[in-house]
Amino acid sequence: MKEKGIRPTAARILVLRKLSELMRPASLSELEIELETLDRSTIFRSLSLLLEHHAIHAFEDGSGSMKYEICRSHSETCAIGERHIHFFCEVCHQTTCLTDIKIPVASLPEGYTVDSINYTVKGVCPACNQKRL
């Protein structure tokens, strides 16, 4: 957190630790269940500050809620070329990071500037596919 210019507080440490432990993106509601000692507004404020300082990423995965994950970049901001795609399982509703597959950078017409790209693939995960057989 100090590298990102964030003053570590108990709540921020708990939120980051939980995101790290989960090893997958999590929604505010999921974090609220996991972090019983923190209320929703404290978690939301922590997430907002962590987003502002590029310590975490937020993206929409098609589930209807924003998902959050730790930024693993060592630079001040995470370049789009360093980002990976996500897979949303339409059966179990889990979002998985596909860290080995980078987001393709779109070549936009002159005058456009890219701030972020959300790349989510939807389908059925391997575990749910096995249950179908």
Side-chain angles (χ1 to χ4, degrees):
M1 278 195 261
K2 289 180 181 180
E3 289 176 11
K4 300 280 187 177
I6 302 168
R7 185 174 57 86
T9 64
R12 294 170 193 162
I13 291 168
L14 287 171
V15 169
L16 274 177
R17 185 177 294 151
K18 184 52 67 178
L19 283 172
S20 182
E21 287 171 5
L22 291 174
M23 298 298 294
R24 63 174 173 76
S27 68
L28 175 59
S29 296
E30 291 169 318
L31 288 170
E32 186 179 17
I33 291 167
E34 293 284 334
L35 298 167
E36 297 172 353
T37 58
L38 299 178
D39 63 35
R40 186 177 188 87
S41 62
T42 300
I43 297 168
F44 181 77
R45 284 192 309 272
S46 295
L47 289 170
S48 296
L49 184 88
L50 294 166
L51 273 169
E52 182 182 322
H53 288 271
H54 307 286
I56 63 173
H57 298 292
F59 64 93
E60 298 173 50
D61 65 357
S63 67
S65 62
M66 191 68 72
K67 295 289 173 82
Y68 302 91
E69 66 182 337
I70 292 178
C71 176
R72 306 269 182 214
S73 176
H74 296 291
S75 61
E76 186 176 323
T77 61
C78 186
I80 291 171
E82 294 178 32
R83 304 257 184 114
H84 56 268
I85 70 171
H86 297 93
F87 186 88
F88 177 76
C89 179
E90 295 174 318
V91 176
C92 65
H93 304 280
Q94 292 292 311
T95 301
T96 305
C97 294
L98 301 177
T99 55
D100 292 337
I101 306 173
K102 300 300 178 197
I103 292 176
V105 180
S107 179
L108 298 177
E110 187 177 326
Y112 290 87
T113 303
V114 178
D115 289 326
S116 67
I117 295 176
N118 180 18
Y119 198 116
T120 302
V121 177
K122 294 181 183 181
V124 181
C125 71
C128 290
N129 266 327
Q130 284 294 328
K131 292 176 188 175
R132 289 177 157 183
L133 302 177

